[in-house]
Amino acid sequence: MSATITPDHTSRLDLDEPAPTTSTGRGWAFTGVAAGLASIVGIAASMQIDAVYSPDADGDPDAIVARLAELVPQILVFHTATMVSVVLLLVFAAGLRRRLADQLPSRSLLPDVAAAGLGLVAVAGLMGSGLTTEFVFGVSDPGNGLVPESAVFFNHWVGTIPWLWVGAGATGVAVAVSALRHGAVSRWLGWVGIVLGGLTLLLGISPLQYMAGMTGPVWLFVTALGLALGDRATRSRV
């Protein structure tokens, strides 16, 4: 008598069933909290580097250089805080992408958009602080050949480029869609993304683009803190 082999359907991988979510740590989220704090410090320090806007300077390049020499501590704080946030953002972006990918449909673009938006912020911070070393030494010793007009440009640079937080707005909106449509994170984080993320995105697109630097770091801090303290996601594969 020949044996009949019955297929074992219990061992078949059902591709229609969502893969179980693996439990991961929240260190990446706390990294985002630190990145948010560092970003807020960096933006605040940038606001204090105001030689070109000083009434005493009155558009005089030499006077602006003299004023910048008095602001070296603020420049150093700006540089350090901004670069710390740049490095930490890379970790948070990777963690956020994984967090969303664990909950969203496998072909969703939202995790990649969220990570890419923070990547844009990191690039803006890197570029925005990229001239500080050159000009800190330059304004400290103007006799070393510093062209005063270039220092004027430097002050405008640190007052604009690090404020380009439009990418965080895109990330905030991606998190909002993930939360409110798919239940990938807590709904309140979705509303934070709608309000702060949406405002950051609109400001970043508008001619008032530098104002995005006021709301973007706040969105980052609040969202990362919510994820770090434990959001309750409702898994949905709609």
Side-chain angles (χ1 to χ4, degrees):
M1 183 177 67
S2 62
T4 301
I5 300 177
T6 303
D8 183 4
H9 293 286
T10 61
S11 63
R12 182 177 64 86
L13 177 62
D14 191 346
L15 297 180
D16 294 330
E17 289 295 324
T21 303
T22 58
S23 176
T24 57
R26 298 183 186 272
W28 62 272
F30 283 105
T31 300
V33 175
L37 288 174
S39 299
I40 292 171
V41 171
I43 290 293
S46 173
M47 294 175 65
Q48 297 179 48
I49 307 171
D50 58 356
V52 293
Y53 311 110
S54 174
D56 297 333
D58 194 27
D60 180 5
D62 292 317
I64 291 173
V65 171
R67 176 59 180 157
L68 284 174
E70 299 172 357
L71 297 175
V72 167
Q74 289 88 334
I75 296 173
L76 293 176
V77 170
F78 157 73
H79 175 86
T80 304
T82 301
M83 287 305 300
V84 167
S85 70
V86 165
V87 175
L88 297 180
L89 271 173
L90 300 179
V91 179
F92 180 66
L96 180 61
R97 184 196 179 284
R98 183 182 63 187
R99 174 69 176 78
L100 296 179
D102 282 346
Q103 299 292 328
L104 292 169
S106 61
R107 296 179 63 85
S108 175
L109 297 177
L110 292 170
D112 292 327
V113 172
L118 293 178
L120 289 176
V121 176
V123 170
L126 176 64
M127 298 300 295
S129 59
L131 295 175
T132 51
T133 302
E134 179 80 9
F135 282 93
V136 160
F137 289 107
V139 300
S140 299
D141 182 16
N144 64 5
L146 174 69
V147 177
E149 286 76 10
S150 66
V152 175
F153 167 78
F154 164 72
N155 198 161
H156 284 295
W157 182 267
V158 300
T160 55
I161 303 303
W163 291 64
L164 298 178
W165 275 70
V166 64
T171 301
V173 172
V175 171
V177 175
S178 300
L180 300 178
R181 182 178 179 183
H182 299 282
V185 295
S186 298
R187 290 184 64 84
W188 75 268
L189 286 174
W191 287 112
V192 170
I194 287 290
V195 177
L196 289 176
L199 180 59
T200 301
L201 182 61
L202 291 175
L203 287 172
I205 292 173
S206 77
L208 300 174
Q209 58 182 327
Y210 306 133
M211 294 299 293
M214 298 291 290
T215 56
V218 177
W219 167 83
L220 172 61
F221 175 76
V222 173
T223 300
L225 187 63
L227 292 168
L229 296 181
D231 66 300
R232 293 178 298 174
T234 303
R235 190 178 184 88
S236 175
R237 293 276 176 160
V238 178

